[in-house]
Amino acid sequence: MQDSKILIDWIGVTCTLTNPVDQLCACIPYSIADFVALPSGGLGYKQAITYLSSTIYYDGSKDMGAHLRITGQGCRALEAHDINLFAWCAFVVELDGMTFTRLDIACDTSRDILSPTVDALATGLYSSKARKCNVISSAGPDGLSASTCYIGSRQSGVFIRIYDKAAERGLSSVDWYRAELEIKKGYIDKAIALTKVSPSKAFANIIGTYFRPLARKVRPVTRSPTAPWWLDFLGEVERVSLVSDPQLPTIEAKYAWLQKQAAPTFALLTKAFGNDAWIKALTKEGEGRLKDIDWRLIEAWRE
């Protein structure tokens, strides 16, 4: 990918800390005084402020905190302030109370990766985790021509766009194509971790895992050779998983769940019975239903 440029082109991050607007503003090199109030909010929030295509939404329902949305232009503005967005994301993702909801990683290249992608989709010579693939055409002086390929759905964890960026910008004398990963909540943390080693390798491995044009199809499809043009574009890739490892339960997590879900019921029953003897009876009955993993959890807690 020597002739390609990897960049972040969209960021969405929610903060649920105290004073979330101030906390989000503190993460970017702008003063709160720089922001201008918008006439209305969005994304479920009643109010919003914006500056240089970075918008903070706030005043939502309980537990919504505030949300920072940085568009492509906002990303370029941050880079103009000497912010390395890959390093920035790696820093913010480790902060308590911060959750990424969307991250777009793009690859700009002068190679025509759109035409062979259209051919691969039209002939079925591809392998993909996505069930849905679409080709969007646009009208021009020479008739209809493909302008964008969508691989996956907007609701999926990883959504791929491959398109003619020059045509989008109305540039007729430039060869500028873009492959873009739109990564959603639940997949972003792993994606950011991969970019710490190499953004370009992370991009190649992720897009190569979710979409692979083929030279020909054999069975099983995993043994089908990759199309040479795709290999020239990405190089050799490794399959990666963006699904976070399941968190092992802890005593603290069990208590927090009980407190959040059942505390009102506990209070109601204790008031109704006039004492907490019913809790002891319930505990004795539940003890016989504990599994081996529960006893190991108790032993770990005691140690």
Side-chain angles (χ1 to χ4, degrees), residues 8-254:
I8 289 177
D9 204 52
W10 190 287
I11 296 170
V13 59
T14 298
C15 175
T16 55
L17 299 172
T18 304
N19 301 321
V21 173
D22 293 336
Q23 296 285 355
L24 287 171
C25 192
C27 291
I28 49 182
Y30 307 144
S31 166
I32 193 72
D34 295 327
F35 285 79
V36 176
L38 293 175
S40 61
L43 308 179
Y45 297 89
K46 298 183 183 70
Q47 300 186 66
I49 54 176
T50 190
Y51 179 66
L52 294 181
S53 299
S54 290
T55 304
I56 298 177
Y57 297 88
Y58 64 101
D59 191 11
S61 60
K62 186 179 179 181
D63 300 329
M64 284 181 62
H67 180 78
L68 171 63
R69 185 180 70 181
I70 307 174
T71 66
Q73 289 183 336
C75 290
R76 306 291 78 78
L78 287 174
E79 289 173 341
H81 283 77
D82 295 325
I83 299 294
N84 180 318
L85 289 177
F86 288 102
W88 184 87
C89 288
F91 167 72
V92 174
V93 76
E94 298 294 338
L95 298 177
D96 290 337
M98 298 286 188
T99 302
F100 279 83
T101 59
R102 177 177 167 182
L103 181 69
D104 289 10
I105 304 177
C107 174
D108 286 341
T109 178
S110 59
R111 298 169 180 256
D112 180 4
I113 56 174
L114 177 61
S115 299
T117 299
V118 172
D119 292 341
L121 295 178
T123 58
L125 279 175
Y126 67 93
S127 173
S128 175
K129 285 179 173 285
R131 297 180 181 179
K132 183 179 180 182
C133 299
N134 290 322
V135 177
I136 306 300
S137 299
S138 58
D142 301 322
L144 289 176
S145 60
S147 58
T148 306
C149 292
Y150 294 132
I151 300 163
S153 69
R154 294 298 299 270
Q155 290 72 40
S156 58
V158 177
F159 176 58
I160 299 171
R161 286 183 290 267
I162 297 176
Y163 60 102
D164 187 336
K165 189 69 176 177
E168 181 193 63
R169 294 289 182 89
L171 305 173
S172 58
S173 59
V174 177
D175 294 324
W176 183 8
Y177 298 89
R178 173 170 287 187
E180 197 166 65
L181 295 166
E182 182 178 312
I183 307 172
K184 302 296 197 320
K185 182 179 178 180
Y187 292 74
I188 297 174
D189 289 10
K190 277 288 190 72
I192 291 175
L194 291 173
T195 64
K196 289 181 182 180
V197 179
S198 168
S200 59
K201 190 63 177 175
F203 177 89
N205 287 343
I206 295 171
I207 197 172
T209 296
Y210 282 84
F211 177 68
R212 184 169 67 95
L214 307 175
R216 64 181 186 279
K217 268 191 175 180
V218 300
R219 293 187 177 181
V221 71
T222 52
R223 294 186 178 179
S224 300
T226 302
W229 68 269
W230 191 249
L231 283 173
D232 289 342
F233 171 50
L234 293 182
E236 292 291 339
V237 302
E238 302 172 14
R239 292 182 65 84
V240 294
S241 173
L242 299 184
V243 180
S244 298
D245 298 327
Q247 296 295 313
L248 294 175
T250 63
I251 293 295
E252 293 89 347
K254 295 281 189 180

